[in-house]
């Protein structure tokens, strides 16, 4: 529709894929793979993306209730000098087992949206990290492709120059022959 405002949705963090494959050059494919595997800066950028995603997950956990169970078991006994009775039966030095399974639960009510804002902020930081990571990857891929094509251009120019020199040498030979 015309005249309808829409919110922009940046796509900086969207992977660009293997765009250089459109050139159909196996050597370029090999160089791009080597660059991606052997670049510590790119590896660090991708680790920052993963770290940011983990921070988002950690922030989302605060929206959930927290529960702790701390079970314990004890075996206790009285001194043999202490007399106890149960009904008509009297006995000395009783031993018994005691088991406890306490459950603690808590949940923070997010009245003012602090936790939700933290989740949103962590999500925005993760998006920024993803955008920076993809930008670093794209820059590396472009540098490799640009350098590769510059090398191929120089190689093609060298072939043309060699052919030009050979043609000039032939022309010089013809002129020499005609002069003789």
């Amino acid at each position: 529709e015309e005249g309808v405002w829409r919110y922009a949705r940046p796509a900086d963090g969207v992977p660009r894929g293997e765009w250089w494959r459109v050139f159909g050059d196996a050597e370029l494919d090999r160089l791009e793979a080597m660059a991606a595997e052997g670049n510590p800066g790119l590896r660090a950028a991708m680790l920052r993306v993963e770290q940011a995603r983990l921070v988002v997950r950690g922030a989302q956990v605060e929206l959930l209730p927290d529960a702790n169970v701390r079970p314990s078991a004890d075996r206790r006994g009285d001194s043999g000098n202490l007399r106890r009775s149960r009904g008509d039966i009297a006995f000395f030095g009783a031993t018994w087992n005691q088991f406890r399974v306490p459950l603690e639960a808590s949940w923070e009510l997010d009245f003012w949206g602090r936790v939700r804002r933290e989740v949103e902020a962590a999500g925005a930081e993760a998006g920024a990290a993803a955008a920076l990571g993809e930008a670093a990857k794209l820059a590396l891929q472009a540098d490799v492709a640009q350098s590769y094509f510059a090398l191929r251009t120089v190689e093609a120019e060298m072939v043309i120059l060699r052919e030009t020199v050979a043609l000039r040498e032939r022309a010089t030979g013809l002129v020499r022959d005609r002069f003789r």
Side-chain angles (χ1 to χ4, degrees), residues 19-84:
W19 54 267
W20 64 88
R21 291 196 181 269
V22 299
F23 298 108
D25 191 318
E27 182 64 14
L28 178 59
D29 295 345
R30 187 185 71 76
L31 291 171
E32 289 287 357
M34 281 178 49
E37 291 172 13
N39 189 294
L42 181 61
R43 191 173 307 119
M46 292 300 119
L47 288 174
R48 283 190 293 275
V49 171
E50 185 59 30
Q51 180 184 22
R53 288 179 180 152
L54 290 174
V55 168
V56 170
R57 286 188 204 132
Q60 289 172 336
V61 167
E62 288 193 39
L63 291 170
L64 303 174
D66 184 28
N68 291 313
V69 178
R70 295 186 181 134
S72 64
D74 292 329
R75 183 162 178 87
R76 297 185 177 214
D78 289 335
S79 164
N81 298 325
L82 181 65
R83 180 176 182 236
R84 292 190 179 254

Side-chain angles (χ1 to χ4, degrees), residues 2-180:
E2 286 187 45
V4 176
W5 286 91
R6 293 186 185 155
Y7 287 103
R9 295 208 171 122
D12 295 350
V14 176
R16 302 296 189 265
E18 297 178 340
W19 54 267
W20 64 88
R21 291 196 181 269
V22 299
F23 298 108
D25 191 318
E27 182 64 14
L28 178 59
D29 295 345
R30 187 185 71 76
L31 291 171
E32 289 287 357
M34 281 178 49
E37 291 172 13
N39 189 294
L42 181 61
R43 191 173 307 119
M46 292 300 119
L47 288 174
R48 283 190 293 275
V49 171
E50 185 59 30
Q51 180 184 22
R53 288 179 180 152
L54 290 174
V55 168
V56 170
R57 286 188 204 132
Q60 289 172 336
V61 167
E62 288 193 39
L63 291 170
L64 303 174
D66 184 28
N68 291 313
V69 178
R70 295 186 181 134
S72 64
D74 292 329
R75 183 162 178 87
R76 297 185 177 214
D78 289 335
S79 164
N81 298 325
L82 181 65
R83 180 176 182 236
R84 292 190 179 254
S85 63
R86 192 175 293 152
D88 293 338
I89 303 171
F91 53 91
F92 294 90
T95 302
W96 67 92
N97 296 323
Q98 184 176 24
F99 300 99
R100 290 190 181 133
V101 185
L103 172 66
E104 299 172 2
S106 64
W107 185 42
E108 180 180 345
L109 294 176
D110 196 16
F111 283 121
W112 291 277
R114 178 191 65 82
V115 176
R116 278 196 266 338
R117 296 298 96 64
E118 285 178 6
V119 170
E120 289 171 3
E125 288 178 17
L132 289 173
E134 287 302 320
K137 189 190 300 183
L138 183 61
L140 175 65
Q141 292 168 345
D143 284 346
V144 169
Q146 193 172 26
S147 297
Y148 176 74
F149 290 128
L151 174 66
R152 290 294 186 210
T153 300
V154 168
E155 288 173 347
E157 288 175 357
M158 287 174 57
V159 168
I160 291 170
L161 288 173
R162 284 188 190 116
E163 289 174 358
T164 302
V165 167
L167 286 173
R168 297 277 169 108
E169 286 174 349
R170 256 181 53 204
T172 303
L174 287 174
V175 169
R176 222 180 271 139
D177 288 347
R178 284 180 75 188
F179 180 70
R180 286 188 197 147

